[in-house]
Amino acid sequence: QVQLVESGGGLVQPGGSLRLSCAASGSIFSISVMGWYRQVPGKERDLVAAITRGGRTNYADSVKGRFTISRDNAKNTVYLQMNSLKPDDTAVYYCNAADVVTPDGYLEVWGQGTLVTVSS
């Protein structure tokens, strides 16, 4: 069984920074893509940023230049450095791992979510 455990959410003032972490555990051979999504009540879950095993990244337009995604393949961990935070960034942030290669085949896994609140 593969699990994703997130950490790093919390309350921050506008203009501040937070760093989210997400570690995958279990019987994992490799993970193709790891990413972060966010969701606010009443809206769909949207992609924030994603990174391939080779380091290719993709960002939502709303976070380009402010957020940076990175990963440590040896630790099966992905990070999201969030700078210049705005109230509109307030959401529950979910970690995602896609094409996780395990002894049982390919999986897609979601974390439990971590709340980020940007408010003064």
Side-chain angles (χ1 to χ4, degrees):
Q1 185 177 3
V2 176
Q3 291 184 325
L4 300 179
V5 178
E6 300 143 339
S7 61
L11 173 64
V12 63
Q13 292 186 342
S17 299
L18 279 177
R19 188 187 193 218
L20 304 183
S21 299
C22 171
S25 63
S27 298
I28 300 169
F29 294 137
S30 66
I31 303 174
S32 178
V33 180
M34 300 188 80
W36 291 93
Y37 291 71
R38 65 187 181 187
Q39 189 172 25
V40 297
K43 293 191 176 182
E44 295 183 351
R45 190 175 297 185
D46 294 324
L47 175 69
V48 175
I51 184 168
T52 68
R53 184 171 179 82
R56 187 171 62 188
T57 58
N58 181 38
Y59 293 94
D61 288 342
S62 60
V63 307
K64 284 181 180 177
R66 300 188 297 123
F67 291 10
T68 301
I69 190 169
S70 61
R71 68 187 280 178
D72 184 331
N73 291 329
K75 296 181 179 180
N76 288 324
T77 300
V78 64
Y79 307 95
L80 186 67
Q81 178 66 44
M82 304 185 293
N83 298 328
S84 302
L85 283 160
K86 306 173 181 179
D88 284 350
D89 295 317
T90 296
V92 177
Y93 284 70
Y94 295 91
C95 179
N96 174 270
D99 289 337
V100 181
V101 183
T102 74
D104 297 323
Y106 289 82
L107 300 176
E108 181 179 19
V109 187
W110 289 91
Q112 79 283 1
T114 185
L115 177 62
V116 172
T117 303
V118 184
S119 176
S120 55

